[in-house]
Amino acid sequence: MSKFSIYLVRHGQTYFNLYNRMQGWSDSPLTDNGKAIATKVGQALADVDFSHYYSSDSKRAMDTATLIKAAANHADEPLTPLANFREVFYGYYEGDDCSRVWSLVGKQYNVTSLHELLAHIKIEQTRDMMKAIDPMHEAEDNATYWQRLNGGFDYLKSHHDHGEKVLVVSHGTTIRSIVSHFGPDVDITTGPKNGSLTRLDVDGDDIKVVNYAQDLI
């Protein structure tokens, strides 16, 4: 039974974040502010003895992880990309204006943001709703999404134990979704800021949310 801690960090600010665009599997570069955020996170976590660094395979996450390692004086430590911890795939709506997309997904609730929609429904439902209205039907539904994520947790469980600490740079909606899944009583209506920390403690199949969206900077 593997026992270890996962330090989930949301990547630094990107241009799509700045422009309020849907950013799932699509990517955009870190802004200068996003790079500064990543550096500050690395400085804040410099005293944590991570046994390994991971990130999703999106460039914004990998760039953030690289900057974190450098700021923590661990630039030479390996970084392993795991596609399992990518953001949700928004299909046809990738790169679209966030307010427009969420107003379409949550039309019956008269909302314009995921934050507003989560006051009415669970985050798991939002994926199936987006899949249903996607003209190409390529947006990731909840079952497909969790099959991917569960594979990532299985990988970490098979590689870590003995109270190790691992860093995983991931994404806002993915971090929200993980917390909703393993800590259903945690309020996720407000999403994690760029550079915030969410910690999970893993004990075999038991995964507990220790904290959510802690501001490090």
Side-chain angles (χ1 to χ4, degrees), residues 161-193:
D161 198 356
H162 309 299
E164 291 177 322
K165 298 178 177 68
V166 299
L167 180 80
V168 179
V169 178
S170 188
H171 307 268
T173 301
T174 287
I175 292 170
R176 269 177 158 172
S177 300
I178 289 170
V179 170
S180 175
H181 189 76
F182 295 113
D185 294 332
V186 179
D187 182 5
I188 62 158
T189 52
T190 299
K193 295 179 181 179

Side-chain angles (χ1 to χ4, degrees), residues 15 17 23 31 34 40-41 47 49 53 75 78 81 87 92 101 121 124 143 159 164 172 182 193 203 206:
Y15 282 97
N17 293 152
Q23 187 173 220
T31 63
K40 290 176 183 177
V41 169
D47 292 334
D49 184 20
Y53 290 85
E87 185 57 288
Y92 178 81
V101 174
I121 62 173
E124 292 79 8
H159 286 76
E164 291 177 322
F182 295 113
K193 295 179 181 179
D203 188 354
D206 183 25

Side-chain angles (χ1 to χ4, degrees), residues 87-109:
E87 185 57 288
V88 180
F89 181 48
Y90 298 119
Y92 178 81
Y93 299 106
E94 288 281 339
D96 206 334
D97 179 80
C98 289
S99 297
R100 190 187 88 86
V101 174
W102 290 118
S103 68
L104 293 172
V105 175
K107 184 177 180 179
Q108 61 183 305
Y109 301 106

Side-chain angles (χ1 to χ4, degrees), residues 38-43 46 66-74:
T39 296
K40 290 176 183 177
V41 169
Q43 292 167 347
T66 299
L67 289 167
I68 289 173
K69 290 196 306 115
N73 296 316
H74 292 141

